[in-house]
Amino acid sequence: MSRRAFLKQAAFVLGTSVSASLSAAVLKGITTESSARTLELSAELKNVITLLAERIMPKTDTPGALEAGVPDFINTIVVDWYTPDERNDFISGLEDMNQYCSQQFNCSLHEATSAQHDSVLTEFEKRALAIADDENQAIFAMFRELVVVGFFTSKAGATQALKHNHVAGQFVGDYPLSKVGKAWTPYY
């Protein structure tokens, strides 16, 4: 599967188009090895990204966001690929989530429990669903997009969470997923 085909599938899974900056990064073959960066996210923001990414894509019988390197992927996209406006929207959105957590639970996101993270994410998902304007994407939609694309473009996501079939047989369009156990990927 080509990167372009993957982005089409990711957009389908996310229920929206993938942002131009993220598409450009994936199509270019992004790596998380950073060059000399002039801008860097704060340690607190990186910690929040790590905690929330693991809540969206937790470790189960397959690797989670941490094992797949999703926090580093998000950092690279936000710092190296997002436009200044996208970066400001992303950081502002995380600050809004932190402020909401402070108001609801009297603690910051990096001090909150997993259940409190889930509550914050649920609230911001509801807010994202209320926004109809794709150009003014809500933080939850931006964050979920980064987590999903970061996970499934990682080696762990493509090789352990998805199942590869070298030689496809006949097409059976209504084959039950319960008999397969995983979705299919052409990545090795």
Side-chain angles (χ1 to χ4, degrees):
M1 177 182 285
S2 69
R3 287 188 175 112
R4 188 175 310 276
F6 172 78
L7 287 174
K8 287 179 184 176
Q9 292 298 324
F12 177 74
V13 168
L14 293 168
T16 183
S17 62
V18 178
S19 72
S21 298
L22 184 55
S23 295
V26 171
L27 289 172
K28 190 80 169 178
I30 184 174
T31 63
T32 55
E33 283 94 40
S34 65
S35 56
R37 289 185 173 146
T38 56
L39 177 67
E40 195 65 49
L41 294 178
S42 70
E44 184 177 338
L45 276 180
K46 286 181 182 179
N47 185 31
V48 167
I49 288 169
T50 300
L51 293 169
L52 295 179
E54 186 64 17
R55 296 309 303 157
I56 290 177
M57 190 74 66
K59 181 179 182 177
T60 57
D61 59 333
T62 61
L66 297 181
E67 292 81 12
V70 171
D72 291 333
F73 174 85
I74 292 173
N75 183 58
T76 300
I77 294 292
V78 171
V79 171
D80 295 338
W81 290 89
Y82 267 7
T83 65
D85 287 342
E86 288 172 321
R87 187 178 311 112
N88 290 338
D89 289 347
F90 182 80
I91 292 170
S92 173
L94 288 180
E95 289 169 353
D96 289 347
M97 291 174 98
N98 197 38
Q99 183 178 15
Y100 176 82
C101 188
S102 265
Q103 291 170 348
Q104 295 297 312
F105 308 113
N106 295 321
C107 63
S108 65
L109 275 170
H110 71 275
E111 299 167 333
T113 66
S114 295
Q116 291 168 333
H117 289 146
D118 291 347
S119 178
V120 171
L121 288 169
T122 300
E123 173 61 27
F124 278 80
E125 180 181 25
K126 287 177 190 172
R127 292 180 187 187
L129 293 173
I131 295 176
D133 181 9
D134 284 339
E135 291 189 24
N136 185 18
Q137 219 179 18
I139 182 60
F140 180 82
M142 291 174 78
F143 195 78
R144 180 186 59 192
E145 172 186 79
L146 288 168
V147 171
V148 169
V149 172
F151 181 78
F152 287 108
T153 57
S154 73
K155 183 175 182 176
T159 61
Q160 297 175 37
L162 297 172
K163 189 173 183 177
H164 176 69
N165 183 9
H166 283 286
V167 182
Q170 71 182 36
F171 176 73
V172 180
D174 62 349
Y175 195 78
L177 183 62
S178 61
K179 291 185 178 182
V180 178
K182 295 181 181 181
W184 297 92
T185 179
Y187 292 111
Y188 325 33

